[in-house]
């Protein structure tokens, strides 16, 4: 803020005299004593008062710093020994701002004991309303995609998502939000211990595989996903798949998704992954 200019009685008197002259008035004589006092006062300089500025104290919040929140996410996730405990840990975690604006924590759907785990990207509007992943038109399409290769969504699959809280306006999650949710998803996979994983959408695949490669490149590859730090635990077969939301916007790529599903079906057949849907289709 710039300081206001100094104001003296001399300059004020000059301005007043000019005003009197313009108004056709004659300046009056103050008398000898008053003139002496005025002359003394003219030697003093007066500063115009500075408006009072009110300083509002910074609001103190209980929000954790990103580093502290990430450490807390890792600690909470690793402390869980069951899926129920993991859900409660997510419900209690306040390090991610998405939780405060979401209606529900979108945790899982399907059968927890299933050999196949299907992992989506972000909870959407319908997911947030129901509290389960893959709802609405996207969920309907996924159900049909799985059924096309003999997989029953509710019996053969266990479904979850990377971001369990819907971002406002269905915006993309930030890198910080992804980092905060990743420890919970990694622990979710360890506790579910699937034999095969479908990583649905580029964000899911990039996060779990720690890569910057896009979905077009990743969908043609196969991966072995480690289920924890114990080397004795068998790894799960993992494969990428276009997200249903992407396919609804680009239906011409459904042919590519069909190829990916066929490859996944052939692989789980070779691994002996048990599926009720395929057995039902065969009439057994």
């Amino acid at each position: 803020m710039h300081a206001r200019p100094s104001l003296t009685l001399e300059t004020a008197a000059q301005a007043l005299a000019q005003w009197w002259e313009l108004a056709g008035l004659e300046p009056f004589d103050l008398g000898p004593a008053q003139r002496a006092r005025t002359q003394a006062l003219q030697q003093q300089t007066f500063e115009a008062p500075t408006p009072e500025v009110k300083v509002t104290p910074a609001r103190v919040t209980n929000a954790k710093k990103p580093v502290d929140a990430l450490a807390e996410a890792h600690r909470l996730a690793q402390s869980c020994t069951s899926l129920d405990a993991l859900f409660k840990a997510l419900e209690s975690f306040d390090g991610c701002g998405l939780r405060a604006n979401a209606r529900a924590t979108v945790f899982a759907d399907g059968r927890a004991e299933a050999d196949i785990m299907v992992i989506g990207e972000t909870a959407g509007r319908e997911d947030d309303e129901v509290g389960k992943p893959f709802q609405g038109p996207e969920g309907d399409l996924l159900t049909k995609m799985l059924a096309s290769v003999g997989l029953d969504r509710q019996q053969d699959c266990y479904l979850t998502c990377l971001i369990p809280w819907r971002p406002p306006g269905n915006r993309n999650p930030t890198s910080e939000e992804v980092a905060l949710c990743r420890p919970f998803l990694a622990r979710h996979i360890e506790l579910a211990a699937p034999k095969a994983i479908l990583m649905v959408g580029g964000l899911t695949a990039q996060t779990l595989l720690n890569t910057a490669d896009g979905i077009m490149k990743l969908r043609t590859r196969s991966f072995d996903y480690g289920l924890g730090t114990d080397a004795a635990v068998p790894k799960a077969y993992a494969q990428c798949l276009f997200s249903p939301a992407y396919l609804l916007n680009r239906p011409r790529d459904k042919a590519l998704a069909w190829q990916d599903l066929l490859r996944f079906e052939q692989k789980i057949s070779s691994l002996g992954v048990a599926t009720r849907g395929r057995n039902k289709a065969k009439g057994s």
Side-chain angles (χ1 to χ4, degrees):
M1 180 182 295
H2 297 290
R4 293 190 177 185
S6 300
L7 180 67
T8 65
L9 288 178
E10 182 179 5
T11 55
Q14 290 174 353
L16 182 58
Q18 292 175 359
W19 167 247
W20 281 341
E21 183 178 355
L22 289 172
L25 301 174
E26 290 292 333
F28 57 88
D29 190 358
L30 298 176
Q34 190 64 30
R35 283 198 302 272
R37 183 173 179 274
T38 301
Q39 185 176 4
L41 290 173
Q42 288 175 352
Q43 307 303 317
Q44 301 180 24
T45 301
F46 296 88
E47 297 289 341
T50 302
E52 181 183 358
V53 178
K54 294 183 179 180
V55 179
T56 302
R59 185 176 62 177
V60 178
T61 66
N62 294 324
K64 296 181 177 67
K65 295 180 180 179
V67 175
D68 296 338
L70 184 58
E72 179 69 2
H74 280 285
R75 187 195 69 78
L76 273 176
Q78 289 304 311
S79 69
C80 298
T81 57
S82 68
L83 294 174
D84 183 61
L86 184 65
F87 173 70
K88 292 178 180 178
L90 268 173
E91 288 273 85
S92 68
F93 181 61
D94 61 357
C96 182
L98 292 177
R99 176 176 168 272
N101 298 315
R103 293 183 179 180
T105 297
V106 179
F107 187 69
D109 192 21
R111 191 168 62 90
E113 300 78 17
D115 287 338
I116 300 171
M117 194 168 186
V118 182
I119 306 172
E121 296 176 308
T122 305
R125 181 173 60 84
E126 290 86 355
D127 304 348
D128 187 44
E129 293 174 352
V130 179
K132 295 181 180 181
F134 294 108
Q135 301 298 308
E138 292 86 357
D140 292 340
L141 178 56
L142 178 69
T143 300
K144 294 176 181 178
M145 292 168 66
L146 295 172
S148 70
V149 289
L151 298 177
D152 184 285
R153 166 179 167 148
Q154 294 300 122
Q155 296 298 323
D156 296 326
C157 302
Y158 180 57
L159 305 95
T160 188
C161 54
L162 168 62
I163 309 295
W165 303 291
R166 179 199 178 200
N170 284 345
R171 64 164 173 79
N172 293 327
T174 67
S175 57
E176 179 181 316
E177 290 164 349
V178 172
L180 289 170
C181 295
R182 188 182 188 281
F184 294 102
L185 177 59
R187 187 59 178 159
H188 202 159
I189 298 172
E190 292 174 7
L191 292 172
K195 294 181 180 179
I197 299 173
L198 264 181
M199 298 175 286
V200 182
L203 180 62
T204 302
Q206 290 169 343
T207 302
L208 290 177
L209 300 174
N210 194 27
T211 179
D213 291 343
I215 188 66
M216 280 295 183
K217 184 175 183 179
L218 294 173
R219 56 167 284 272
T220 62
R221 301 168 58 188
S222 300
F223 304 90
D224 290 326
Y225 185 86
L227 302 175
T229 57
D230 190 349
V233 177
K235 295 182 178 181
Y237 170 75
Q239 189 178 314
C240 303
L241 187 69
F242 289 124
S243 72
Y246 171 85
L247 292 174
L248 288 174
N249 290 322
R250 291 175 62 92
R252 62 180 176 273
D253 284 339
K254 287 183 179 179
L256 297 178
W258 171 240
Q259 296 175 13
D260 299 336
L261 284 167
L262 286 177
R263 186 161 60 89
F264 183 76
E265 193 274 338
Q266 293 170 359
K267 184 64 178 181
I268 61 175
S269 293
S270 66
L271 293 174
V273 173
T275 60
R276 301 184 184 186
R278 290 213 310 273
N279 292 335
K280 186 185 296 185
K282 293 176 181 179
S284 59

